[in-house]
Amino acid sequence: MRVTIYTKPGCHLCEDALDLLDKLTPQYKLEVEQANILDDMSLYEQMYEQIPVIVVEDGRNGRLVAPITEPELRAYLEVARRDRLHGRSVVPAYRESVLDRAAQWMGKHWLKVALIIVSVFVALPWLAPVFAALGWWDVANPIYTAYALTCHQLPERAGTVLGYQVAFCYRNTAIYAGFIVFGVLYGLGRDRNVSWLRWLRKPLPWWLFVPMLLPMAADGLTHMLGLRDTMLDMTVDANFGMFTIGSQPFSLNWWLRIITGFLAAAGAVWFAFPRMDRAIAESEAQLQIYKMSALRGAEA
């Protein structure tokens, strides 16, 4: 696929666009031609405020102008490739449905929606004992029953509120609470551009994500096999001080459940959330370019 990029000397945005084209050349089999607008006065008068400008083939799908992002460029190339494969010179008119609008809204607000849902999900198990203490068993019992599908609810591994057991164990609480905490931090780094949180915007590679899950896996496996956990409130030697063998609050096992759960949640957020935003951005860019292509086709 032949691509022409219009540039001028000393343009850092042009250099960035060239780097993007170089990155995408193997995937889209691009033949990139570079044109200096200073060599043609008519081009200069037409494009000097828009540089860089990227045009595919004969320009029937329009053109991209600065600033050019990777999602926009991918979407533009994708539309051009589909037209080329299907031999279309005009893109069919785009008709936006209610579902399309709902999907676009969800794409913009998915993080808030996810955090609200998880917050409710992690709060209900801690409200169950409150309802039980109030005698509202018609409300408490369904919560205990529903969360039994997600948690073993062993008494020694769960907290108590007002004398009644929480419907969630400490490990599950740590995982989902960690999801909320690191999700909020990710949102601050993404939306507020908080400098010390920018690292969360770069996706965690899988070979670092897996090691962040291993401590929780080892913790859970050793508990399942009965290698560490016991219901006896026995004191360990002086090396552990206040720590006990069992699963009581502030015991060694309790701390391990909380820490490994938080670590796994941090890895999950860092691995998945930037990729989710990138996928949404690429989809939105492709939709916008498709709309513009359809509009140009209708005008033609």
Side-chain angles (χ1 to χ4, degrees):
M1 188 158 51
R2 181 170 53 83
V3 175
T4 303
I5 176 169
Y6 296 91
T7 66
K8 64 181 179 181
C11 172
H12 72 278
L13 291 178
C14 300
E15 295 174 359
D16 293 342
L18 285 168
D19 289 340
L20 287 177
L21 286 172
D22 185 61
K23 177 182 178 181
L24 299 180
T25 290
Q27 179 180 352
Y28 291 95
K29 299 180 175 57
L30 303 180
E31 298 176 7
V32 180
E33 298 179 2
Q34 187 173 349
N36 186 348
I37 63 170
L38 298 182
D39 295 335
D40 188 325
M41 186 54 64
S42 62
L43 286 178
Y44 178 81
E45 292 176 351
Q46 180 184 0
M47 300 181 178
Y48 76 98
E49 292 183 342
Q50 300 176 325
I51 293 300
V53 175
I54 294 178
V55 179
V56 172
E57 299 291 351
D58 57 2
R60 65 185 180 185
N61 294 111
R63 62 189 185 183
L64 285 184
V65 300
I68 298 172
T69 65
E70 183 174 343
E72 290 173 337
L73 181 55
R74 284 183 179 275
Y76 179 58
L77 295 175
E78 196 66 37
V79 169
R81 182 168 67 175
R82 289 178 183 177
D83 284 356
R84 187 181 183 190
L85 289 175
H86 297 288
R88 291 199 300 254
S89 58
V90 176
V91 179
Y94 176 77
R95 294 179 177 85
E96 189 174 64
S97 66
V98 174
L99 290 178
D100 292 327
R101 289 193 291 272
Q104 292 176 47
W105 183 91
M106 182 61 71
K108 294 178 180 178
H109 303 284
W110 71 268
L111 181 58
K112 293 179 181 178
V113 172
L115 291 177
I116 291 172
I117 291 174
V118 175
S119 296
V120 173
F121 183 74
V122 78
L124 283 177
W126 287 82
L127 289 175
V130 176
F131 297 145
L134 293 172
W136 299 352
W137 286 103
D138 289 341
V139 180
N141 277 331
I143 296 176
Y144 282 113
T145 302
Y147 280 86
L149 299 174
T150 66
C151 180
H152 46 58
Q153 296 182 347
L154 294 177
E156 71 275 16
R157 299 185 186 180
T160 58
V161 176
L162 301 177
Y164 291 88
Q165 180 183 325
V166 177
F168 238 2
C169 66
Y170 287 121
R171 178 180 287 117
N172 279 2
T173 299
I175 292 171
Y176 292 107
F179 182 95
I180 297 168
V181 170
F182 291 106
V184 170
L185 292 177
Y186 173 79
L188 290 174
R190 183 194 67 178
D191 301 333
R192 302 294 178 87
N193 200 27
V194 178
S195 58
W196 60 276
L197 292 174
R198 288 175 183 170
W199 55 274
L200 277 171
R201 299 173 62 180
K202 184 177 180 181
L204 181 72
W206 69 267
W207 48 269
L208 286 178
F209 175 44
V210 172
M212 295 182 73
L213 298 179
L214 290 179
M216 186 179 69
D219 182 44
L221 184 62
T222 53
H223 279 153
M224 184 178 68
L225 298 177
L227 300 178
R228 290 192 294 109
D229 202 16
T230 175
M231 294 180 65
L232 300 177
D233 190 10
M234 298 174 60
T235 304
V236 187
D237 59 31
N239 292 329
F240 291 103
M242 62 180 284
F243 291 132
T244 56
I245 294 176
S247 297
Q248 304 81 7
F250 308 113
S251 67
L252 177 61
N253 288 339
W254 183 89
W255 280 112
L256 288 175
R257 288 192 181 95
I258 298 298
I259 293 172
T260 58
F262 259 77
L263 183 64
V269 169
W270 193 3
F271 177 83
F273 283 20
R275 289 178 168 84
M276 174 71 78
D277 271 328
R278 185 171 64 186
I280 291 173
E282 291 177 356
S283 176
E284 180 63 23
Q286 183 167 339
L287 176 61
Q288 294 303 322
I289 290 173
Y290 188 91
K291 287 180 178 178
M292 288 187 294
S293 298
L295 179 61
R296 283 190 292 270
E299 292 174 346

